[in-house]
Amino acid sequence: MDQDAPAGIDPTTPNIARVYDAALGGKDNFAVDRQMVELGRQVAPDAPDTARANRQFLRRVVRELAARGVEQFLDIGSGLPTVGNVHEVAQAVNPHARVVYVDFDPVVLAHGRALLSNDHTTIVTADVRDPDLLGHPGITSLLDLRRPVGLLMFAILHHLDDDEDPGGIVARLRDSLAPGSHLAISHFHLPVETAPELVPEIQEGERLFNATLGTGRWRTRAQITEFFGDFELLDPGVVPVNDWRPEGNEVRLFPPTHHGIAGGVARKH
Ligand code: SAM
């Protein structure tokens, strides 16, 4: 979309949703976003593949949750539509599954409208930091929050700084969910517990990311695990996303990239 930047959109500054789209090989990005992806490649040749590995994690998780009987999904920080969107994966298992996408970037809404192929799916422009988020009519009109929900927070919490209180934000959301709900998270990962020898290299990537895009926080496994509170983690716990119930024919990341993003899924009793 290089030629015609819509009103209100700055094509000269990289933007999270568009950089991520560029890493996935999508078309909804500008040259400045693609430059960010190239910069990542200089840190580690497979760094941009993190996006694909994360989407494959998302797909495995959503399929698992739908198979467990989760019928409604709230995908916060959903990003631009891409291959294998949550509603496509969930509704392939259960055609009645309902999905609400939430993102604070209005570009996501503009592109998301095109993917609303059925009345079980909607998209809302809102900020995860909004304490009244779950009262948003776009959410409450499609999801019954008294019943179990699959709360999906893939690759969003690492865009929140500690002083924005991501722990408090997730705790509030967890508390609002009905028993039987699940929480899925993926997050930039600093492997101090599992691969300490790679920490300096990964921190170099973190420095570069923040010097350019400015909103990336790599957290340890203990810190990521804390986001799940007292929910029960499903096997294998919080691990590099590539290692969460892997399937054949998926992108494999190599160290240090492999350790640079971790995730897990947990259930509320
Ligand atoms: N969840 C998708 C995935 O994992 O494939 C997309 C991840 S993308 C890296 C992160 C998304 O989070 C972006 O689309 C960005 O606009 C959104 N985001 C960042 N901060 C947010 C906030 N405070 N509230 C809502 N969305 C946010």
Side-chain angles (χ1 to χ4, degrees):
M1 66 182 187
D2 274 317
Q3 271 75 37
D4 48 351
I9 291 180
D10 174 7
T12 62
T13 308
N15 152 294
I16 303 166
R18 295 193 321 246
V19 170
Y20 188 74
D21 177 71
L24 287 171
K27 291 191 169 52
D28 302 321
N29 51 75
F30 297 115
V32 70
D33 306 307
R34 296 189 289 274
Q35 279 159 16
M36 277 290 300
V37 174
E38 287 315 309
L39 218 55
R41 223 182 281 286
Q42 287 167 25
V43 177
D46 65 344
D49 290 344
T50 300
R52 271 208 296 150
N54 182 54
R55 288 305 297 187
Q56 290 170 344
F57 171 62
L58 171 150
R59 200 149 45 234
R60 297 193 302 276
V61 168
V62 172
R63 219 187 291 131
E64 168 67 23
L65 295 189
R68 282 170 163 258
V70 175
E71 294 187 318
Q72 28 182 22
F73 292 85
L74 183 58
D75 181 6
I76 306 185
S78 55
L80 286 158
T82 181
V83 177
N85 294 295
V86 169
H87 73 286
E88 293 158 341
V89 179
Q91 290 167 2
V93 179
N94 173 2
H96 301 293
R98 277 161 288 142
V99 179
V100 177
Y101 294 107
V102 175
D103 204 290
F104 75 164
D105 188 336
V107 175
V108 172
L109 178 68
H111 287 261
R113 285 223 171 97
L115 72 79
L116 297 184
S117 50
N118 61 62
D119 56 9
H120 286 36
T121 307
T122 191
I123 182 157
V124 163
T125 300
D127 194 315
V128 71
R129 294 167 295 189
D130 176 358
D132 299 323
L133 176 67
L134 293 184
H136 192 294
I139 298 176
T140 54
S141 59
L142 199 61
L143 305 186
D144 178 356
L145 297 176
R146 294 164 304 181
R147 299 189 50 245
V149 169
L151 174 60
L152 312 178
M153 304 190 84
F154 293 108
I156 174 172
L157 293 170
H158 54 225
H159 294 300
L160 300 185
D161 213 342
D162 287 345
D163 60 19
E164 294 175 288
D165 191 21
I169 290 169
V170 184
R172 200 163 49 232
L173 292 169
R174 279 198 318 268
D175 288 348
S176 309
L177 299 181
S181 292
H182 289 72
L183 170 62
I185 291 173
S186 61
H187 197 295
F188 285 151
H189 176 223
L190 201 61
V192 293
E193 299 100 335
T194 47
E197 71 284 2
L198 297 173
V199 164
E201 230 175 315
I202 291 179
Q203 279 176 324
E204 185 49 38
E206 179 175 13
R207 259 191 299 282
L208 185 67
F209 194 94
N210 281 297
T212 46
L213 202 52
T215 64
R217 308 286 171 264
W218 272 245
R219 296 189 167 99
T220 65
R221 186 168 65 170
Q223 289 171 322
I224 297 169
T225 303
E226 261 179 51
F227 288 129
F228 292 100
D230 62 358
F231 284 23
E232 183 191 357
L233 277 165
L234 309 190
D235 283 342
V238 175
V239 293
V241 292
N242 252 181
D243 294 341
W244 198 93
R245 308 186 184 192
E247 293 171 2
N249 295 328
E250 296 190 320
V251 65
R252 286 306 298 175
L253 304 175
F254 299 95
T257 308
H258 174 76
H259 293 274
I261 182 159
V265 183
R267 180 178 187 277
K268 182 169 183 166
H269 285 289

